[in-house]
Amino acid sequence: MTAFARRARASAGRMHPELSLVSYTLLGHLEERDGCRATDLAAHYALDKSTVSRQVAALERAALVERRLDPDDHRVQVLHLTDAGREILAQVTESRRAAFQERLADWPEEDLVRFAGYLVRYNLPGTDRP
């Protein structure tokens, strides 16, 4: 698992120099949820609020994320991807997909099916315990 995580961090930097693995993950979550509060990001990923704040600030400086007032509660700011954020996320996602396809190209179908099943099982709710 350590080697897998190390490889993922390294590949994120190669795909886009401004986009760390954490940044990529946060952008993906914002896209999936069509925006959310920074506190929701922190809670979802079990990260300290200051960590998320630093990541979000960097994404804002890079013009990949913007804050908008919540239409239901103007005291709340919701983070959304900018057009540039969506574009970069799509590019990185495509690069990652191509890298996975290349790495798994020689695997027999039976192994791919088994591997996919293990990934689904690993990512089931309640499996995030150490």
Side-chain angles (χ1 to χ4, degrees):
M1 290 305 293
T2 302
F4 179 78
R6 193 175 301 129
R7 190 177 305 121
R9 281 192 299 275
S11 68
R14 283 192 305 272
M15 289 179 214
H16 194 281
E18 295 175 31
L19 213 55
S20 70
L21 182 59
V22 172
S23 296
Y24 173 77
T25 303
L26 297 181
L27 289 177
H29 188 81
L30 290 174
E31 181 182 54
E32 182 181 298
R33 305 278 181 191
D34 194 26
C36 71
R37 299 175 306 160
T39 54
D40 296 333
L41 285 172
H44 181 78
Y45 290 106
L47 294 170
D48 187 76
K49 290 178 188 176
S50 64
T51 301
V52 170
S53 179
R54 283 191 302 277
Q55 292 291 328
V56 167
L59 292 171
E60 285 180 301
R61 281 192 304 276
L64 303 178
V65 168
E66 64 185 2
R67 294 176 190 265
R68 298 183 201 155
L69 289 178
D70 185 324
D72 298 325
D73 184 349
H74 292 291
R75 298 170 296 169
V76 175
Q77 292 186 337
V78 179
L79 301 168
H80 289 274
L81 294 180
T82 62
D83 288 342
R86 287 184 195 288
E87 206 172 294
I88 285 177
L89 182 62
Q91 289 171 4
V92 173
T93 299
E94 184 54 38
S95 294
R96 289 182 69 140
R97 185 172 288 125
F100 283 128
Q101 287 174 339
E102 182 180 322
R103 188 160 181 90
L104 301 174
D106 296 336
W107 286 33
E109 179 75 19
E110 177 182 303
D111 289 351
L112 290 171
V113 169
R114 189 177 304 120
F115 183 58
Y118 291 146
L119 288 173
V120 168
R121 182 176 163 195
Y122 180 81
N123 286 305
L124 286 173
T127 59
D128 57 347
R129 295 180 294 274

